[in-house]
Amino acid sequence: MRVSKMFLSTMREVPNDAEIPSHQLMIRAGLMKKVASGIYSFMPLGLKAFRNVENVVREEMDKAGAQELIMPAVLPAEIYQASGRWNKFGPEMFRLNDRGGRQFCLGPTHEEPFTEAVRDSIKSYKQLPVTLYQIQHKYRDEKRPRFGVMRAREFVMKDAYSFDVDEAGLDVSYQAMYKAYCNIFDRLGLDYIVVDADTGAMGGSGSQEFMVKSSVGEDAICYCEGCNYAANEEKATCEPPKAAVLGEYEALAVEKIHTPNVKTIEELMGYMNAEPSSFAKTILYNIDGRIVAVMVRGDREINETKLGNLYDAVEINLAAFDDVERITGAKVGFAGPIDLKEEIDVVVDPEVLAMTNFIVGANETDYHFKNVNVGRDFTPTIVKDVRNVVEGDICPKCGKPLSICRGVEVGHIFKLGTKYSEALHCTYLDKDGKENPMIMGCYGIGVGRTLAAVIEQYNDADGIMWPYEVAPYKAIIIPTKTNDETIMGLAEDIYSKLQAAGVEVLLDDRNERPGVKFKDADLIGIPVRITVGRMAGEGIVELKLRNGGEVSEVSAAEAIEIAINPAKG
RNA sequence: CGGGGUGUAGCUCAGGUGGUAGAGCACUUGCUUCGGGAGCAAGGGGCCGGAAGUUCGAGUCUUCUCACUCCGACCA
C-alpha cells in the first residue's frame, strides 16, 4: 500500500475523551473513530490489525475442532423469553420492534439461538459432541462504556458453544477450548493469567477467565507466587487465621463506650485510640428482600458476589436506612451483632473468629461495645468467607502469601451444564432411547478488547509497537526524498519485492519531510522500518525495528530478508 | 441509577462586566526548506450542542433539554 493513497489520518494531539494509552493510540494512529459513546468505526488500518487478531482466533478455533457459523444480530424476543433472560438482561439489552410490533433485540450473547439451532438439528448421541462458534457483533447497552473498545456497547466477540452427552464429554470440550485460548493469547504475545471466576448470571458449574495483566484492567486478580492458584477477586478465597478459643486467652469484661458523632471507622478508631483491625464492622444487606447482618474485620471489604452466592441471590443491596434503624434500634453507623431487635442471620467472616476483645457497634445511637468475644457475647448464624482477599492473605492451596494485580478480561470459558438445554428442551436420545438434556459449555473472546489489550501491552512514548502477528503492515519503506530517482528507484524495488514475497508492506511515498514519516511510522507501530536515503546509490538502506534496537545499515537484500522474517534479524 | 465536569473550526483550546468569532495544529495555494511532527505569505473552513426566555442586541445571562465524559454503584 502506498501511504499517499491510504485512507488514514493520524493525530498529533491526544483526544480529550481518551484516558488510557491503548484508547488514545487507537484514535491517534487512525485505527478507529468514535461514532457514539461505546460505538466505534474501524478505519482501514485498524481493521487490518483487527482481522489479524480475528484470524488467529479463527485458526485456533478451527484447529480445536470448532465449526464456524454466523447468527443474526437481530433476534426475536421469544428465544430469550424461553430462557428467562428477556427480563433478566433488563436495560442492558437493546430492544426494538418491527413494523408489526413484534419485539426483537440486538443479541447481547447467543446461548439461546445456538441452543435452539442445535436442538432443531441434533437428535442422537451419535451426532455429539459438537462445538460451534461465530465471530460476530454483540450489543450491550452498558451503563458506563469506557476506555474505547475495552468496554464498548457494540463489540465483536468470538463466542463458541459446546454440546456434549455428559459431564466427561464437557470436560474434554472445555479442555480443548482452554488449550485453544492459550494458543491464541500466546500467539498474540500477551502476558496473561488464567483465573478461577465466579459464574455470575451465566450460571453453570465452573468458569475461568483469561486475564491480561494490566494496570488499566477493571478486574482485580488474586494469585499465588508459590503455586498455580489464581482467581478473580470476586471468587478468590484465603486460608483464615486460626480461630481464638474461649479460655485460651484473657476475655475482658464488655464495656459500653459513649462514641458521639462518629461517622467513619477512622473517626471511631481515633476516638477509641484503636486500630481498624481491632474493630468488627457490621453491615446490613437487603438480599432479595431479606435483611442480613454481615460482619468483617474493620479494615476489610465485604465481597458482595460471595455474599450473594451464599444466599443464591438475584439482587443484593445495602439495607435501606429505615430497615437499619428498625433492626438495630439505632442510627446508621452503630450496628452490631448484640441485641438486634429482630431475628436475622448474622453472617460472620472467619477472620472475625480470630479476633479477641474487639469493638462492635452497640445497636444504640452513639455507643459501641469493647472487649466483645465471639461465643461469649454473640453467636454467628453462619461463618463464611464473605470478604475480599487482600495482598498478603494466605493461599488456600499452598499456604504462601497471595499477591494481587489488575487484569483485562479478554476471554472467559464456562461449564454451563444443562441450564439452557433444559430451558430450551435441547435434548438427545441416548443408546437406550432415553431423552437427556445436552451438557453445554460456552466460551467467549472479546476480539476488540484483545486488540486493545495488545496495544496496552505493546506501546511506548512514540506510539504502538505491534507484535509481528498483529501488525497491520509488517514493514514500511521510507524514502527520505521523493524527487530523487535513485532513492525512489530503490524504494520501489524493495516495495515490489516484498509484495511479491507476500509481505504486507507500506511505501511512504508522500512528499513529506522525513521527520513526519518517522513519527507516523512509529505512531502506527510498523515492526520493520526500512529507510532509503543517502546510501541508496550503493544499494544500502537503514533498518530499524520498532520494538527497540539501533538503526543498522544493511544491503537492500538483507533488509528484505528481515522484513519477511524479522526473527532472523 | 447517584454525584461532578464539559459542549465554540477536523483535533487541542481561548473568548472579564452582553455589542455580531479567535489561536495553534490539520487542510488549500505559492516560495524557501527537506534525516525525527519546518519557515514565510496568502486562503478555505463555524446553526458557538439544541429549544425557549430576558434584552435594542446572547458564544456570554436564565430555564429546559440532548450529548460527551469522570468518580461511584452495577455488569454474560
Side-chain angles (χ1 to χ4, degrees):
Chain A
M1 184 80 209
R2 289 169 194 275
V3 177
S4 64
K5 306 289 184 205
M6 192 153 87
F7 184 67
L8 170 71
S9 67
T10 56
M11 281 165 41
R12 196 188 303 209
E13 308 218 43
V14 178
N16 94 94
D17 57 3
E19 284 274 308
I20 61 169
S22 61
H23 186 194
Q24 293 174 349
L25 288 170
M26 288 177 86
I27 302 290
R28 282 189 58 211
L31 267 46
M32 66 180 192
K33 198 170 169 5
K34 184 170 78 178
V35 174
S37 177
I39 299 177
Y40 291 85
S41 302
F42 271 89
M43 297 295 121
L45 185 68
L47 183 63
K48 281 186 81 75
F50 190 93
R51 292 281 189 240
N52 289 340
V53 172
E54 197 179 288
N55 285 335
V56 168
V57 171
R58 181 174 285 115
E59 284 171 20
E60 294 299 331
M61 293 307 290
D62 289 346
K63 204 158 72 177
Q67 299 174 62
E68 186 172 10
L69 53 70
I70 194 152
M71 295 267 177
V74 178
L75 292 160
E78 293 81 42
I79 53 178
Y80 287 95
Q81 285 162 346
S83 69
R85 290 208 294 182
W86 181 257
N87 291 326
K88 190 156 187 179
F89 269 113
E92 200 168 308
M93 192 181 239
F94 280 104
R95 294 156 204 266
L96 55 160
N97 295 331
D98 71 7
R99 64 177 73 200
R102 186 179 177 195
Q103 291 185 295
F104 290 84
C105 67
L106 299 178
T109 173
H110 284 211
E111 281 72 20
E112 287 84 351
F114 272 84
T115 306
E116 198 173 63
V118 169
R119 174 191 69 196
D120 294 347
S121 40
I122 292 187
K123 286 290 154 222
S124 161
Y125 72 94
K126 293 175 193 165
Q127 296 166 288
L128 293 173
V130 64
T131 297
L132 303 171
Y133 78 99
Q134 64 175 348
I135 298 175
Q136 191 242 20
H137 286 79
K138 296 280 180 282
Y139 299 84
R140 294 181 197 175
D141 194 0
E142 294 276 354
K143 284 175 202 133
R144 193 170 169 202
R146 229 194 306 209
F147 300 157
V149 291
M150 280 278 188
R151 177 166 295 275
R153 295 195 294 173
E154 179 189 74
F155 59 98
V156 174
M157 175 182 265
K158 184 287 299 173
D159 48 325
Y161 306 86
S162 66
F163 298 83
D164 278 278
V165 295
D166 55 22
E167 288 287 340
L170 171 60
D171 286 345
V172 172
S173 299
Y174 185 91
Q175 280 310 316
M177 288 294 116
Y178 182 100
K179 187 69 181 39
Y181 276 37
C182 291
N183 292 345
I184 289 164
F185 299 123
D186 285 341
R187 281 178 63 180
L188 297 174
L190 289 168
D191 179 18
Y192 67 95
I193 179 169
V194 186
V195 307
D196 293 341
D198 187 71
T199 51
M202 292 296 295
S205 57
S207 81
Q208 288 168 295
E209 290 166 335
F210 288 72
M211 293 281 190
V212 174
K213 290 182 187 172
S214 166
S215 57
V216 305
E218 294 187 83
D219 289 278
I221 301 166
C222 210
Y223 64 98
C224 177
E225 305 276 11
C227 69
N228 62 358
Y229 180 75
N232 192 309
E233 184 184 56
E234 289 181 346
K235 168 106 177 172
T237 60
C238 63
E239 187 64 28
K242 195 167 171 294
V245 178
L246 278 172
E248 291 185 1
Y249 62 94
E250 188 187 356
L252 304 173
V254 173
E255 289 177 44
K256 188 190 276 187
I257 309 287
H258 189 49
T259 53
N261 299 319
V262 298
K263 296 260 180 335
T264 64
I265 291 177
E266 286 71 31
E267 284 175 22
L268 176 66
M269 292 306 120
Y271 201 88
M272 302 189 74
N273 193 21
E275 296 298 315
S277 56
S278 61
F279 174 70
K281 61 183 172 187
T282 307
I283 309 288
L284 270 62
Y285 273 88
N286 182 331
I287 302 175
D288 292 334
R290 168 180 186 176
I291 308 293
V292 171
V294 182
M295 287 185 78
V296 298
R297 211 170 85 178
D299 53 344
R300 304 308 193 198
E301 285 175 13
I302 292 173
N303 180 318
E304 294 185 4
T305 303
K306 291 181 187 173
L307 182 60
N309 287 344
L310 179 60
Y311 284 93
D312 203 12
V314 175
E315 204 171 338
I316 173 163
N317 289 302
L318 285 173
F321 282 4
D322 50 353
D323 285 332
V324 174
E325 290 177 9
R326 190 185 72 246
I327 289 168
T328 64
K331 285 190 177 166
V332 173
F334 301 95
I338 304 170
D339 294 339
L340 287 160
K341 307 299 177 269
E342 291 180 22
E343 283 285 318
I344 59 170
D345 282 3
V346 180
V347 179
V348 176
D349 186 83
E351 193 180 34
V352 174
L353 300 186
M355 298 170 71
T356 58
N357 298 318
F358 53 92
I359 301 161
V360 301
N363 290 325
E364 182 178 341
T365 304
D366 292 341
Y367 286 94
H368 282 80
F369 287 129
K370 77 185 250 196
N371 298 334
V372 170
N373 290 286
V374 181
R376 183 189 70 180
D377 303 314
F378 72 96
T379 305
T381 318
I382 299 173
V383 174
K384 188 83 170 59
D385 168 29
V386 287
R387 70 171 172 95
N388 282 337
V389 167
V390 297
E391 191 97 30
D393 273 337
I394 302 304
C395 173
K397 271 176 109 169
C398 76
K400 293 216 168 63
L402 291 168
S403 300
I404 292 183
C405 67
R406 300 203 69 81
V408 174
E409 179 193 346
V410 290
H412 201 162
I413 56 180
F414 291 85
K415 289 185 179 177
L416 284 178
T418 58
K419 178 175 172 176
Y420 296 93
S421 51
E422 283 180 3
L424 298 169
H425 310 295
C426 179
T427 60
Y428 68 95
L429 293 178
D430 65 19
K431 282 179 183 161
D432 304 321
K434 191 163 152 281
E435 190 175 38
N436 297 296
M438 296 186 202
I439 313 294
M440 292 174 58
C442 73
Y443 317 90
I445 290 178
V447 181
R449 184 183 280 184
T450 300
L451 180 69
V454 169
I455 295 170
E456 201 61 48
Q457 189 178 319
Y458 291 99
N459 73 80
D460 66 9
D462 292 315
I464 301 168
M465 302 162 74
W466 290 117
Y468 197 78
E469 179 111 55
V470 189
Y473 292 91
K474 311 308 179 192
I476 183 165
I477 302 159
I478 297 183
T480 56
K481 291 187 174 67
T482 49
N483 57 1
D484 181 312
E485 282 181 25
T486 309
I487 287 174
M488 283 311 289
L490 183 57
E492 290 279 0
D493 183 52
I494 296 169
Y495 180 55
S496 56
K497 282 178 176 153
L498 282 175
Q499 283 190 314
V503 175
E504 294 275 13
V505 57
L506 285 172
L507 173 61
D508 196 346
D509 58 340
R510 293 177 300 173
N511 183 22
E512 287 287 354
R513 298 159 62 88
V516 172
K517 299 185 187 183
F518 293 144
K519 285 289 186 190
D520 273 343
D522 286 349
L523 178 59
I524 65 175
I526 307 306
V528 179
R529 186 177 90 194
I530 299 167
T531 305
V532 184
R534 297 184 191 106
M535 286 164 293
E538 298 95 83
I540 302 294
V541 299
E542 289 161 28
L543 183 80
K544 183 164 188 315
L545 300 183
R546 181 64 181 87
N547 63 5
E550 295 301 305
V551 174
S552 59
E553 294 175 359
V554 300
S555 70
E558 275 181 87
I560 289 168
E561 274 302 303
I562 288 164
I564 293 169
N565 186 354
K568 287 185 191 163

